Amino acid sequence: MGKLVLLCFVMSLPLWINGQRLEIQEKGSGLINLERHQFKFDLFAPGLSYELGIFRNQTVSTSLGLGLATYQEGYALGLAWNNRYRYYHNLNRRIAKGRNVSGNSGNYIAAAQAIFFSQLRLATDIDGPDDFNLGFYGLVYGIQRTYPKGFNFNMELGAGYYRGDGALSGYGPLLNINFGWVATKRKSRKPVFE
């Protein structure tokens, strides 16, 4: 597991360095068209999400809601806690084409972690004790769009390592599709430059 975390870090380092070299900055926070704080109610997989802008084109996000883990050992459906370190790679291109970037509307690459809790599991076919937890560690590619009235769409596809706590571990895909509503005020749809 330590090698996987190191690999994720090494793979994301060039993206972080490239993001630091961008010349266009938003006034004030140094974030390029990213929201400093974004709180969202997830409707498709009921839950809550929070995204924090930390550097240019980079955010961290966390969410708690319904999730499905599926890998070579089986599946588990229930409460999941998701964490992401996102790098939005196409914001400048979207601005150049006159497209919306408010509400963190863009495409991203993310280091992903998800924990599927045994206490609130609805269904599973994984062999193991009744109280096993399952963790996911991997990379995802995501698309997020936030529309003027606050409606939000987010889709992620990736792969990684599922680590079982009391169950067998293995590799598998991650697909996350969510519709929600952004409860925090969003920036203007037009970019502001210094």
Side-chain angles (χ1 to χ4, degrees), residues 177-190:
I177 299 173
N178 214 324
F179 300 98
W181 181 74
V182 176
T184 50
K185 184 177 178 181
R186 290 159 307 283
K187 295 179 181 177
S188 170
R189 292 176 56 96
K190 297 178 182 173

Side-chain angles (χ1 to χ4, degrees), residues 40-162:
K40 180 176 71 166
F41 294 102
D42 298 324
L43 306 173
F44 185 64
L48 305 170
S49 297
Y50 177 72
E51 189 172 4
L52 174 68
I54 54 172
F55 299 116
R56 294 183 198 163
N57 292 8
Q58 298 171 51
T59 67
V60 290
S61 66
T62 188
S63 66
L64 186 65
L66 188 62
L68 173 66
T70 176
Y71 68 114
Q72 61 206 34
E73 298 302 325
Y75 74 92
L77 174 67
L79 183 68
W81 178 30
N82 296 293
N83 297 298
R84 305 287 187 264
Y85 184 89
R86 298 176 177 182
Y87 172 77
Y88 288 88
H89 66 85
N90 72 333
L91 296 178
N92 287 336
R93 189 174 67 217
R94 288 181 62 80
I95 291 169
K97 291 183 176 183
R99 295 193 177 150
N100 177 31
V101 294
S102 70
N104 299 348
S105 293
N107 300 4
Y108 60 88
I109 299 167
Q113 176 202 29
I115 305 296
F116 298 87
F117 297 106
S118 64
Q119 295 82 359
L120 297 173
R121 185 174 32 246
L122 302 175
T124 187
D125 70 347
I126 299 171
D127 291 330
D130 290 338
D131 64 344
F132 74 88
N133 293 320
L134 192 61
F136 171 85
Y137 306 93
L139 294 173
V140 296
Y141 185 82
I143 297 171
Q144 178 169 259
R145 301 292 185 266
T146 303
Y147 298 96
K149 299 290 184 185
F151 174 74
N152 177 280
F153 169 76
N154 188 18
M155 184 174 82
E156 298 175 329
L157 178 63
Y161 181 69
Y162 284 90

